[in-house]
Amino acid sequence: MFLKYAPLVLTALLRKKTRTVFTLLALAAAFLLIGLLQAVNSVLAGGADFLGANRLISQAKTSFTQPLPMRLLPQIEAVPGVDRVSHSQFFGGIYQDPKNFFPQFVVNPQRLRDTYPEWTMPEDQWRSFISTQDGAIVGKLLADKYGWKVGDIVPLNSFIWTKTDGSRVWEWRIVGIFSGRDQEWSDRAGLMYLNYGQFDEGRVAGARGLAGVFVVRVRDPMQSERIAAEIDKRFENSADETKTQSEQEFQLGFLKQLGDIGFIVNAISGAVFFTILILTGYTMSQAVRERVPELAVLKCLGFTDRSVLLLVLAESLALCLIGALLGMVAATLVTNGLPPEYPVKTDARVWLFSGAAVLVLASAVGLPPALHAMRIRIVDALAGR
Amino acid sequence: MSTLTQVREIVLMNLRSIPQRLGASLVIVIGIGGVVGVLVAMLSMSAGLGKTLNATGDPNRAIILRGGSNGELASFLDRASATLIKQDPAIARADDSLPLASGEIIVITEVPRRGDTSGANVSLRGVEPKGFLLRPDLKIVEGRRFKPGLREIMVGAGAYKQFDGLEIGQRLKFRGSYWTIVGRFESGDAHDSELWTDLETAQGAFGRSGVSSVLVRLTSRDAFAGLKQRLTTNPQLNVDVKTERDYFSSQSSGLTSQIGYLTTIVAAIMAFGALFGALNTMYSAVSTRTQEIGTLRALGFGAAPVIASVMAEAMALSLAGGMLGAGVAYLLFNGYSVSTLGGNFTQIAFNFAVTPALVIKGLVWALAIGFLGGLFPAMRAARMPVTQALRG
């Protein structure tokens, strides 16, 4: 059935090649945009659940920029179900030029190793990170970018932390270069970890003893939600109330700060969809109008009204499908080519969304001309009336 | 007939016949309208943000931060430095003969956006009483000022619109106690996105002894150079001195350029799509007019007038589309208020601003698409052999 009619649909599309190609290109551009925009939406909508989260982040309830004191650590560790706890403080260092921005976190090396087993590094480098007060380890990506090797001294000018002598330039000795245990984590190895030892000793007295945020590794991911609630309850009504959420949600929080991205993304997608609807709708109705005598001939040959209707609908669907496919493939290639710090992916969800959009589009633009084609009266059409 | 007269006649004739091809013409109008609408709407976002940040800052006011800090959030001045700074002779004095200077502290609190549950960063600014004298533009629109020593908060008009639970009388809970909202203020600048409280109350609650910045009023605009020279060379201090205006405009530059960059990508992809829509329409406009064009050529009209007529149609339709798009963007988005992450890693609320410059930019894009979309069909029309065209 389908194969029998496929050549007819194809012939109809190839009847005016320029017009079909132009419409396909317009459709491809529209779906490229929709694919990219909805990929952004997909990131925002995804995550935000505790399911399968084996790492939680405890931050100060007022704001994550407010460091939590180190004394909370043993109390968090004592919560049943907590496996290991580490702490992490954003360092805010500039290497040579503000344009060279990369994140650095001040951590306790042993605790980092326990909570992030995804990072891999030779055993002797882990040992020297643990034992070197001014030690730092850098991700493979970063080390390659700046040509750093073990033993190098890297000066970082922190815009947040001042040393007791009033200077803000901290020197860190690179003692290890880490990588990820799989491709996904290797792609993220663009950051630097600094030893808490030199950091806490060096900073002004008023700031000592602050840990930053706590990273909590739980034994059973299914228990995450309960553990998070229990940690927050422990510090309720103290000066240092905490807010504990899954690591994924914590990171999403940064994106959400940018604003109501969902609204902007959907507004643009809507405008794009409406525009392409009008464009393709016009092409389809034009294509059918030109072919009225041909359609009448088909009917003379015994095609029923219904099969003519389906024929035109199939043509519209084929047009939208090919155009959308081109655009979506382009969108997928673009998002796959983005650097790992942009976690935007044109994933299955986005493809599904676009598939639905194609169906809506194809029926909206195909139905009016298809109904017109169905209602053609053979005599009138052949007479050119 | 001279070529010019020919061009005029044929262009007018063609434009008058547009209503007969309304459906096709609408494709160009709406296609380009969509591009221009999105372009103008997105650019109006960065224009609005720039407007809010540039409105902040009086050249008569200067802000003093810790040396090397990139914003108030990362800045810290101890009490001794703040006191020393306030004694500079370039600082104007109030009626009580105390310097017109306010040591201020910025901390971040999380308040949920309206209709959202996760918190967005909002600045909580602790100010000294002189902070109000320093900013005469600031008006209380409802309620009253906070009382020093009490955990009371005033909210900015922008923050009030964007975030949840900031009605007067409501209480926010942070740092282990409740803070009552007692007033709402409007300043028409970046401070509208903030929550304000008393400096010493904030210092107490957040365990801080110093301030983030000191804001001062200069005796005159020219006094700034002296102030900067004295403070930066004073060995007791390690500070950066900026006029308030310079400080706030430097805070916005990164964000507005990022928005501009993204907008251009989105608009370029849309324009690419709309271009093909325009090409389709113009090719079919030319093909429906084949006989007409053939007749004109047979009557002695040259190729140039024919090209001109097709181009004029394309450009006129694009212009209409551009105006439609800009108009819709204006109606829907002008004054629309949103908030995003500003310079201090906190939310800044602002209104979209559809300015004339943006509308012109949108129309330029529309005309460019119309030009390209009309050019090739126009060439085809001009190249058609007369005999063939007459047969249709």
Side-chain angles (χ1 to χ4, degrees):
Chain A
M1 169 76 188
F2 173 74
L3 280 180
K4 199 167 74 181
Y5 291 110
L8 261 180
V9 172
L10 198 65
T11 323
L13 284 177
L14 292 179
R15 197 171 179 278
K16 283 221 166 161
K17 291 195 191 65
T18 344
R19 183 168 65 201
T20 307
V21 169
F22 284 170
T23 311
L24 283 180
L25 284 172
L27 276 163
F31 275 88
L32 168 63
L33 260 186
I34 290 178
L36 294 177
L37 293 170
Q38 292 303 319
V40 174
N41 237 356
S42 187
V43 175
L44 293 174
D49 49 7
F50 276 97
L51 229 68
N54 63 355
R55 258 195 302 262
L56 307 173
I57 308 274
S58 281
Q59 61 163 86
K61 195 175 179 189
T62 31
S63 158
F64 64 87
T65 53
Q66 190 74 33
L68 288 168
M70 190 61 89
R71 64 184 153 76
L72 305 194
L73 190 135
Q75 299 186 55
I76 295 175
E77 248 171 358
V79 172
V82 169
D83 187 15
R84 291 292 287 169
V85 181
S86 69
H87 50 88
S88 164
Q89 171 62 56
F90 183 68
F91 183 71
I94 303 282
Y95 177 62
Q96 290 173 342
D97 187 275
K99 285 196 195 87
N100 296 339
F101 183 79
F102 56 88
Q104 311 98 20
F105 298 96
V106 186
V107 296
N108 175 316
Q110 180 61 51
R111 290 181 182 275
L112 171 77
R113 191 181 182 183
D114 293 340
T115 40
Y116 282 93
E118 289 89 348
W119 297 131
T120 56
M121 201 164 65
E123 182 62 32
D124 60 319
Q125 295 187 356
W126 274 118
R127 288 229 185 95
S128 67
F129 186 34
I130 292 166
S131 60
T132 313
Q133 279 285 83
D134 60 348
I137 56 173
V138 291
K140 181 90 177 43
L141 296 179
L142 211 55
D144 290 347
K145 187 172 171 193
Y146 295 109
W148 288 331
K149 49 195 187 310
V150 171
D152 284 359
I153 304 261
V154 176
L156 294 176
N157 191 341
S158 172
F159 55 78
I160 305 176
W161 303 102
T162 315
K163 294 208 278 194
T164 29
D165 63 6
S167 132
R168 282 171 292 111
V169 182
W170 299 69
E171 287 183 350
W172 297 98
R173 186 189 309 273
I174 295 181
V175 294
I177 292 170
F178 64 90
S179 180
R181 67 167 179 201
D182 53 25
Q183 190 56 43
E184 197 194 339
W185 281 85
S186 296
D187 285 344
R188 293 188 201 171
L191 68 171
M192 185 173 191
Y193 287 111
L194 312 172
N195 195 322
Y196 187 75
Q198 168 175 258
F199 175 69
D200 201 43
E201 203 178 293
R203 60 182 162 172
V204 289
R208 277 188 206 147
L210 294 175
V213 300
F214 291 102
V215 183
V216 181
R217 194 176 160 81
V218 301
R219 277 200 199 93
D220 175 10
M222 302 310 286
Q223 302 277 319
S224 293
E225 195 161 1
R226 172 192 62 82
I227 294 170
E230 213 157 304
I231 294 174
D232 290 347
K233 193 153 180 285
R234 192 155 289 213
F235 304 108
E236 215 175 352
N237 290 324
S238 75
D240 295 295
E241 283 187 296
T242 58
K243 182 167 102 179
T244 306
Q245 46 193 345
S246 72
E247 189 183 27
Q248 201 179 14
E249 199 177 346
F250 176 75
Q251 280 160 355
L252 267 183
F254 284 84
L255 268 179
K256 284 191 178 159
Q257 293 276 354
L258 284 177
D260 198 349
I261 305 177
F263 168 77
I264 295 171
V265 163
N266 286 331
I268 301 175
S269 299
V272 171
F273 191 79
F274 177 73
T275 311
I276 199 70
L277 186 84
I278 300 286
L279 275 171
T280 326
Y282 169 71
T283 314
M284 275 308 296
S285 68
Q286 175 102 358
V288 170
R289 216 177 307 135
E290 282 171 10
R291 289 210 317 271
V292 165
E294 290 168 32
L295 291 168
V297 172
L298 283 182
K299 286 189 174 183
C300 279
L301 293 173
F303 278 74
T304 59
D305 283 353
R306 210 172 133 254
S307 53
V308 170
L309 175 98
L310 289 178
L311 210 56
V312 176
L313 275 181
E315 183 185 334
S316 138
L317 185 65
L319 187 72
C320 297
L321 213 55
I322 299 171
L325 204 63
L326 288 176
M328 288 298 293
V329 167
T332 310
L333 289 179
V334 168
T335 52
N336 282 343
L338 283 178
E341 39 299 13
Y342 300 93
V344 179
K345 287 274 170 285
T346 306
D347 52 13
R349 210 187 119 93
V350 182
W351 277 83
L352 217 65
F353 178 90
S354 301
V358 166
L359 287 183
V360 173
L361 183 69
S363 30
V365 305
L367 217 49
L371 287 172
H372 175 70
M374 187 180 82
R375 293 193 190 117
I376 292 173
R377 286 178 53 201
I378 300 174
V379 196
D380 289 347
L382 288 179
R385 281 189 288 239
Chain B
M1 273 195 285
S2 75
T3 312
L4 271 182
T5 331
Q6 283 186 4
V7 168
R8 197 188 67 211
E9 286 306 315
I10 193 171
V11 164
L12 283 176
M13 185 183 85
N14 197 14
L15 291 182
R16 274 196 293 262
S17 73
I18 287 179
Q20 290 164 21
R21 297 186 298 275
L22 205 58
S25 312
L26 228 55
V27 172
I28 295 197
V29 174
I30 291 180
I32 291 177
V35 179
V36 173
V38 168
L39 180 80
V40 171
M42 285 183 72
L43 287 178
S44 70
M45 187 160 66
S46 53
L49 179 61
K51 210 164 143 183
T52 302
L53 287 174
N54 289 332
T56 321
D58 182 322
N60 285 317
R61 290 197 292 257
I63 184 166
I64 294 112
L65 302 162
R66 174 176 63 85
S69 51
N70 58 357
E72 280 182 276
L73 185 64
S75 168
F76 176 81
L77 298 166
D78 59 30
R79 195 175 280 259
S81 304
T83 312
L84 186 61
I85 289 164
K86 288 181 192 167
Q87 305 311 319
D88 192 276
I91 299 170
R93 301 218 163 217
D95 296 340
D96 56 7
S97 79
L98 290 174
L100 265 172
S102 163
E104 308 195 340
I105 190 172
I106 280 271
V107 287
I108 298 184
T109 55
E110 285 189 3
V111 182
R113 226 182 267 283
R114 282 186 191 258
D116 200 352
T117 47
S118 65
N121 288 352
V122 178
S123 296
L124 174 68
R125 181 183 293 271
V127 299
E128 287 185 287
K130 289 276 188 300
F132 289 97
L133 279 179
L134 268 165
R135 300 181 179 90
D137 307 338
L138 185 136
K139 287 187 294 284
I140 306 276
V141 283
E142 204 189 330
R144 59 173 172 87
R145 280 187 199 174
F146 50 80
K147 288 197 183 115
L150 292 178
R151 294 199 165 185
E152 291 182 340
I153 289 182
M154 275 165 56
V155 300
Y160 169 77
K161 263 191 265 174
Q162 290 294 317
F163 306 107
D164 219 11
L166 298 183
E167 311 279 341
I168 287 175
Q170 278 181 307
R171 298 193 300 172
L172 293 177
K173 189 181 177 216
F174 52 82
R175 299 296 290 180
S177 66
Y178 288 97
W179 298 65
T180 313
I181 295 166
V182 295
R184 186 159 83 237
F185 65 89
E186 198 175 308
S187 60
D189 58 22
H191 296 307
D192 273 349
S193 316
E194 298 173 340
L195 313 181
W196 277 26
T197 188
D198 175 51
L199 173 71
E200 292 186 5
T201 313
Q203 283 175 330
F206 285 85
R208 301 274 192 94
S209 55
V211 295
S212 302
S213 63
V214 178
L215 183 74
V216 303
R217 171 172 293 282
L218 301 167
T219 47
S220 76
R221 219 173 269 209
D222 305 328
F224 176 74
L227 175 80
K228 182 168 182 168
Q229 197 264 336
R230 276 188 301 276
L231 293 184
T232 47
T233 54
N234 187 337
Q236 285 173 279
L237 296 170
N238 169 22
V239 292
D240 280 345
V241 183
K242 291 173 182 166
T243 63
E244 201 187 18
R245 178 161 292 170
D246 283 350
Y247 171 71
F248 279 98
S249 54
S250 72
Q251 297 277 302
S252 70
S253 56
L255 194 59
T256 43
S257 72
Q258 271 173 14
I259 296 177
Y261 184 61
L262 283 177
T263 309
T264 312
I265 295 179
V266 169
I269 300 177
M270 280 193 83
F272 177 82
L275 176 62
F276 290 106
L279 277 172
N280 249 348
T281 316
M282 288 318 293
Y283 271 124
S284 78
V286 167
S287 79
T288 53
R289 285 175 56 219
T290 306
Q291 276 174 323
E292 181 192 324
I293 292 170
T295 314
L296 288 169
R297 298 296 304 275
L299 287 173
F301 280 83
V306 171
I307 292 184
S309 78
V310 176
M311 295 294 289
E313 177 176 344
M315 305 281 272
L317 291 175
S318 330
L319 197 62
M323 290 196 289
L324 177 78
V328 169
Y330 179 84
L331 288 179
L332 287 183
F333 290 111
N334 196 34
Y336 183 80
S337 60
V338 289
S339 71
T340 188
L341 209 52
N344 261 331
F345 214 80
T346 54
Q347 295 292 317
I348 170 143
F350 61 95
N351 298 333
F352 280 50
V354 178
T355 59
L358 292 185
V359 172
I360 289 170
K361 192 166 182 179
L363 293 183
V364 169
W365 274 65
L367 287 175
I369 300 169
F371 180 81
L372 288 177
L375 191 62
F376 302 101
M379 308 272 268
R380 175 196 273 190
R383 283 211 201 101
M384 264 190 296
V386 178
T387 44
Q388 204 183 316
L390 278 173
R391 264 184 245 118

